[in-house]
């Protein structure tokens, strides 16, 4: 081996040694979570105490819905007749089916389905309406269509307003201070709404069918807004099952509404017997804030980021999704 070869060999071995040393140093530091910062922790605004009883039972929220009325196409505010609604299957039953499907799309609600037979119920649906946690009565309070002149064409704007009456079945309490009003509009933006060419009458079959389709789309948008409100009031809640240092194991995963990267507030629930033999929630104590990077079907692994001074998460504590995570993009 000549002098140049020995030089390059020594240089190579030195480089490898330095790299291995750096790797060892990195191995000792990477993967160790930063210690949590002591800070004041506040409860999210969307917490609802009904979720504690539900997660204690190890299941999802059970919802029973009723669709009372979807509006009458014979009223003078809608521009298509009842026969068009019948042709398009715009019935109360069919739109109730649409609402149920939208609720099921959230994937963390159990929704009572009146269309399943008794035989199917045994395999799919193990509970009845009387066992629901939330009852929702849905009613179309206003539906109207308006022709807008955008010469040489005419365009139709459809507006549907829906009222939701949501009740805690166990206590009889209304979930909001009053009924929730939502609306769906079809025709406000380009590409939406029936466009009527010049010299084509409003009463033509093609226009009438298109108007019925506009109504269905506006009603679906109102349902989407309704489901969004229900999703907000039913903020995901989990139950702490194990704590090791800054790591938390939680019963609560994808099927309960959590997803990877979510941040949670860990809190302690304080209950008291009010003299009637039943323990009631009298207060909550925020303990820590954590991030859940490992979210499975029904279990999650989370790391504490911030913690109240002199506090420590414990087995039996609860966890609720933060406002920031709730406002972020949610997988449906």
């Amino acid at each position: 081996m000549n002098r140049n070869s020995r030089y390059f060999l020594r240089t190579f071995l030195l480089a490898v040694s330095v790299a291995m040393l750096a790797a060892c140093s990195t191995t000792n530091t990477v993967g160790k979570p930063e210690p949590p910062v002591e800070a004041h922790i506040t409860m999210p605004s969307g917490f609802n105490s009904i979720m504690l009883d539900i997660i204690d039972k190890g299941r999802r929220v059970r919802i029973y819905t009723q669709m009372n009325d979807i509006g009458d196409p014979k009223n003078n505010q809608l521009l298509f007749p009842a026969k068009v609604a019948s042709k398009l299957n715009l019935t109360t039953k069919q739109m109730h089916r649409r609402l149920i499907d939208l609720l099921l799309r959230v994937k963390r609600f159990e929704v009572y389905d009146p269309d399943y037979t008794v035989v199917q119920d045994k395999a799919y649906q193990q509970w009845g309406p009387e066992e629901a946690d939330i009852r929702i009565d849905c009613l179309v309070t206003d539906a109207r269509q308006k022709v807008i002149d955008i010469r040489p064409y005419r365009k139709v704007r459809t507006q549907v307003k829906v009222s939701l009456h949501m009740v805690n079945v166990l206590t009889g309490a209304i979930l909001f201070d009053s009924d929730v009003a939502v609306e769906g509009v079809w025709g406000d933006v380009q590409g939406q709404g029936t466009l009527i060419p010049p010299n084509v009458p409003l009463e033509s079959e093609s226009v009438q069918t298109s108007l019925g389709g506009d109504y269905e789309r506006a009603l679906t948008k109102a349902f989407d807004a309704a489901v969004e409100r229900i999703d907000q009031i039913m903020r995901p809640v989990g139950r702490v099952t194990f704590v090791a240092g800054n790591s938390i194991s939680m019963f609560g995963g994808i099927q309960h509404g959590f997803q990877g990267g979510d941040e949670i507030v860990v809190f302690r629930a304080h209950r008291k017997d009010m003299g009637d033999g039943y323990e009631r929630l009298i207060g909550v104590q925020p303990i820590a804030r954590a991030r859940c990077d490992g979210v499975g079907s029904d279990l999650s692994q989370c790391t504490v980021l911030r913690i109240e001074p002199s506090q420590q998460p414990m087995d039996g504590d609860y966890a609720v999704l933060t406002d920031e995570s709730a406002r972020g993009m949610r997988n449906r």
Side-chain angles (χ1 to χ4, degrees), residues 19 29 48 68 138 177 197 201 234 266 286:
T29 58
N48 192 306
N68 297 320
C138 189
D177 292 336
M234 296 288 103
V266 178

Side-chain angles (χ1 to χ4, degrees), residues 18-32:
V18 171
M20 292 178 65
L21 182 62
C24 291
S25 176
T26 301
T27 302
N28 290 332
T29 58
V30 171
K32 287 186 177 180

Side-chain angles (χ1 to χ4, degrees), residues 51 54 59-63 103-111 227-237 253-258 321 330-332:
M51 299 300 296
I54 293 170
R59 59 172 176 77
R60 294 180 289 174
V61 179
R62 291 175 175 175
I63 295 178
L103 282 167
L104 288 172
R105 191 180 68 180
V106 178
K107 297 179 181 177
R108 63 185 186 86
F109 300 136
E110 295 180 32
V111 185
V227 171
E228 191 71 26
R229 293 296 298 275
I230 296 168
D231 197 19
Q232 289 173 0
I233 193 67
M234 296 288 103
R235 184 76 62 88
V237 168
I254 294 172
Q255 69 171 342
H256 302 97
F258 294 101
L321 191 69
R330 309 301 298 167
N331 294 327
R332 295 289 181 86

Side-chain angles (χ1 to χ4, degrees), residues 186-262:
W186 189 260
D188 270 353
V189 301
Q190 187 175 1
Q192 292 183 1
T194 297
L195 196 64
I196 307 173
N199 303 320
V200 175
L202 187 68
E203 295 77 17
S204 70
E205 183 177 354
S206 61
V207 172
Q208 291 285 293
T209 300
S210 182
L211 291 174
D214 285 357
Y215 173 77
E216 181 179 8
R217 294 183 184 95
L219 182 57
T220 299
K221 289 189 71 175
F223 284 166
D224 276 330
V227 171
E228 191 71 26
R229 293 296 298 275
I230 296 168
D231 197 19
Q232 289 173 0
I233 193 67
M234 296 288 103
R235 184 76 62 88
V237 168
R239 184 81 184 262
V240 175
T241 57
F242 183 75
V243 179
N246 299 331
S247 297
I248 294 175
S249 294
M250 176 180 73
F251 177 76
I254 294 172
Q255 69 171 342
H256 302 97
F258 294 101
Q259 59 190 37
D262 275 344

